[in-house]
Amino acid sequence: MRRGAPPSRWFSETEMQVQFFDLDPMEIVWHGNYVKYLEVARCALLDKIDYNYVQMKASGFAWPVIDMNLRYIGPAVFGQRLVLRAEIVEYENRLKIDYLISDLTSGKRLNRASTTQVAVDIASGEMCFMSPPVLFEKLGVSHA
């Protein structure tokens, strides 16, 4: 999803419909609810690679979000059908995921975002400076 970069082989797309409870007084999706939409997209992607939060915990690692960046392009409104796309763009030392939220019908882009997560050893509480082998296994790649 990065401009000029080839697409990653690790991506997921899911659809959702904007609900009334996500709107602000201006009758558009409140900006903070996009974080929830990113989580929906991220979980679909992590399910696809069989390494969602339950599997992460079972492997001995937590993966907290340490950075998040959102760019609002256009508003989403009640009843609108959205496509939420998440794509892994970095994994060696951290898990960086890029997102695109767009209108299902027109394809119009509404939001671009990225999150960065790092592995933390649950037993020691220490941050890992390299992603643990389990992530490489889930992605089907070898590691150094």
Side-chain angles (χ1 to χ4, degrees):
M1 287 189 324
R2 293 179 182 194
R3 291 186 181 141
S8 164
R9 63 181 177 178
W10 307 291
F11 74 92
S12 178
E13 289 186 348
T14 190
E15 296 176 13
M16 68 168 288
Q17 186 169 3
V18 174
Q19 300 298 312
F20 178 76
F21 52 76
D22 283 345
L23 304 183
D24 67 13
M26 299 298 293
E27 298 182 3
I28 60 174
V29 171
W30 176 61
H31 68 277
N33 281 322
Y34 285 89
V35 174
K36 178 174 59 175
Y37 297 172
L38 300 184
E39 184 68 23
V40 170
R42 182 170 48 249
C43 283
L45 174 58
L46 295 174
D47 280 341
K48 186 174 179 180
I49 65 169
D50 193 33
Y51 196 54
N52 211 327
Y53 297 112
V54 171
Q55 293 90 353
M56 288 176 178
K57 185 177 179 183
S59 73
F61 297 96
W63 288 80
V65 172
I66 62 164
D67 188 47
M68 181 180 301
N69 187 355
L70 292 95
R71 179 170 302 273
Y72 301 93
I73 302 165
V77 297
F78 175 69
Q80 187 173 13
R81 302 264 331 144
L82 305 176
V83 176
L84 314 176
R85 179 182 170 93
E87 178 179 347
I88 296 173
V89 295
E90 292 181 33
Y91 60 87
E92 293 89 353
N93 301 310
R94 59 191 185 164
L95 184 59
K96 185 167 184 187
I97 301 174
D98 283 352
Y99 305 85
L100 178 62
I101 299 175
S102 55
D103 178 79
L104 176 66
T105 305
S106 70
K108 180 182 176 189
R109 295 176 178 191
L110 304 174
N111 185 286
R112 294 183 68 88
S114 67
T115 58
T116 302
Q117 296 169 256
V118 294
V120 173
D121 184 292
I122 292 172
S124 68
E126 295 288 324
M127 184 177 78
C128 303
F129 292 105
M130 287 192 61
S131 294
V134 65
L135 179 61
F136 292 85
E137 293 166 18
K138 296 294 184 175
L139 295 176
V141 296
S142 60
H143 63 285

